[in-house]
Amino acid sequence: MGTFKTTPITVLENVSKQDFVKNYYRPQKPVLIKGMTKNWPAYKKWTLDYIQEKAGDQVVPLYNNEPAKDKQSVYEPVQEMKLAAYIEILKTKPTDLRIFFYEILKKMPDLAQDFEYPDIGLKFFKKLPALFFGGGESKVFMHYDIDLPDSMHFHFDGHKHVTLFSPDQTKYLYRVPYSIHNLESIDMDNPDFEAYPALQYAEGITAHMEHGDALFMPSGYWHYIKYLDGGFSMTLRALPRKPKKFMQMLYNVMIMRHFDNFTRKHWGQKWLDYKDELAIKKTHKNLANLL
């Protein structure tokens, strides 16, 4: 067992549009910005209590830390619960239950009045701001976003730890074919370098997020997220603008995802096992060529 080689993320209090574009967006370098939300109403208003007051009787799908098996869809929730009841759990005890991609404009449009789209050079896709909730035992498996956005990720009411890996580290991460994640058997908190030797060469970036922090995650960056206590985050996404990335996004969303879902539906666990074996073989072959 071991630990990943990581360096702390660059932390700024504020950044101008010119400096952000020059030093972070164009070079595709992650950065944590502490002061970006401090003038938003959300900075003072967005707490678990506030969301709970507005939740009403909404019923939400919940996910946990267990990977989907056999023919089970990764989008199939483990249970459903009223949002107010779920938030009460977040406020009172650790849980691995989390909410994935809660669409603000559809489910709680009033929240859109509490934030703004930062003028920092990203062309945000304004139709799909989303919230993500988690508790003190919630983990978001290692993955990159299927639509390859440049994302600003804002955290509220709680603390979370994020580990990032740039796309050029993919060769060490045991990426599973026809997917956007690595081997789910890998313990990202305590990686087994004997079973997965390529991992010891991966170099990551760590970020600790607290209320109001904004994290820039460039397109294609891998991220592994741990909620340290109950809280929630909002992601604003900017679709990829470079032609190569845009074409890759279209392939991921329109072809790869549907092919994988179709094959999994018919082959079940055999398909998952085949992909895992392929990920190991390909990664170890690449590692032998690199060393």
Side-chain angles (χ1 to χ4, degrees):
M1 301 294 180
T3 56
F4 285 105
K5 291 185 288 185
T6 60
T7 56
I9 196 168
T10 300
V11 179
L12 304 175
E13 181 60 34
N14 285 293
V15 65
S16 68
K17 177 179 179 179
Q18 181 180 4
D19 287 344
F20 177 79
V21 170
K22 177 182 177 181
N23 297 318
Y24 302 101
Y25 174 57
R26 285 179 181 165
Q28 292 285 276
K29 179 183 176 183
V31 62
L32 184 72
I33 306 166
K34 304 289 290 185
M36 183 173 284
T37 68
K38 288 184 177 179
N39 292 326
W40 293 3
Y43 186 77
K44 292 183 178 179
K45 294 167 63 175
W46 281 20
T47 64
L48 290 173
D49 286 336
Y50 179 71
I51 301 297
Q52 191 177 36
E53 289 172 6
K54 298 180 71 67
D57 291 328
Q58 290 188 33
V59 176
V60 293
L62 300 174
Y63 302 83
N64 62 13
N65 295 342
E66 295 298 320
K69 298 295 185 184
D70 199 25
K71 297 182 180 181
Q72 180 185 10
S73 169
V74 295
Y75 302 107
E76 182 180 336
V78 295
Q79 67 180 98
E80 293 185 340
M81 185 183 301
K82 288 186 176 180
L83 179 56
Y86 168 66
I87 291 178
E88 190 63 29
I89 294 175
L90 294 185
K91 290 163 53 179
T92 56
K93 61 183 179 181
T95 179
D96 70 344
L97 294 174
R98 57 188 177 86
I99 296 177
F100 168 78
F101 219 90
Y102 178 95
E103 296 184 43
I104 293 173
L105 299 184
K106 286 184 178 180
K107 299 179 179 178
M108 209 176 286
D110 288 353
L111 296 183
Q113 302 173 15
D114 295 338
F115 68 88
E116 60 189 45
Y117 292 86
D119 183 20
I120 53 172
L122 294 179
K123 190 175 181 180
F124 289 107
F125 184 60
K126 297 183 178 180
K127 295 182 179 181
L128 209 60
L131 296 180
F132 302 80
F133 296 77
E137 296 176 350
S138 300
K139 299 179 181 181
V140 182
F141 62 87
M142 176 82 151
H143 71 288
Y144 58 90
D145 294 336
I146 194 168
D147 52 346
L148 302 177
D150 289 293
S151 298
M152 292 298 303
H153 190 67
F154 306 87
H155 192 61
F156 298 94
D157 200 4
H159 305 79
K160 69 196 302 185
H161 187 272
V162 182
T163 304
L164 302 168
F165 293 90
S166 71
D168 64 14
Q169 298 297 298
T170 301
K171 56 184 176 287
Y172 303 123
L173 297 176
Y174 294 86
R175 176 186 176 273
V176 175
Y178 308 107
S179 75
I180 56 168
H181 61 83
N182 69 347
L183 290 172
E184 292 173 331
S185 56
I186 293 173
D187 182 350
M188 292 299 297
D189 296 319
N190 195 19
D192 186 342
F193 291 156
E194 291 189 8
Y196 309 108
L199 294 176
Q200 63 191 303
Y201 299 100
E203 298 182 7
I205 299 168
T206 57
H208 179 83
M209 299 190 71
E210 56 188 12
H211 181 82
D213 287 355
L215 173 64
F216 172 57
M217 293 193 293
S219 174
Y221 259 70
W222 294 82
H223 41 285
Y224 167 64
I225 297 173
K226 291 195 303 180
Y227 288 82
L228 304 181
D229 45 27
F232 62 102
S233 302
M234 177 180 70
T235 295
L236 303 180
R237 310 155 82 83
L239 297 180
R241 300 173 74 174
K242 293 184 178 180
K244 185 177 180 180
K245 280 269 180 78
F246 189 80
M247 294 304 295
Q248 183 66 46
M249 180 270 289
L250 292 178
Y251 166 77
N252 289 351
V253 172
M254 303 182 70
I255 298 176
M256 183 186 77
R257 177 174 61 177
H258 296 293
F259 172 77
D260 186 52
N261 289 341
F262 174 84
T263 311
R264 181 173 187 159
K265 184 176 180 181
H266 288 80
W267 282 14
Q269 193 63 39
K270 289 183 179 179
W271 174 242
L272 300 182
D273 294 342
Y274 168 75
K275 292 196 299 177
D276 286 356
E277 292 172 7
L278 203 58
I280 293 172
K281 288 180 181 179
K282 184 175 181 179
T283 303
H284 287 172
K285 181 179 179 181
N286 290 340
L287 182 63
N289 292 333
L290 289 168
L291 299 180

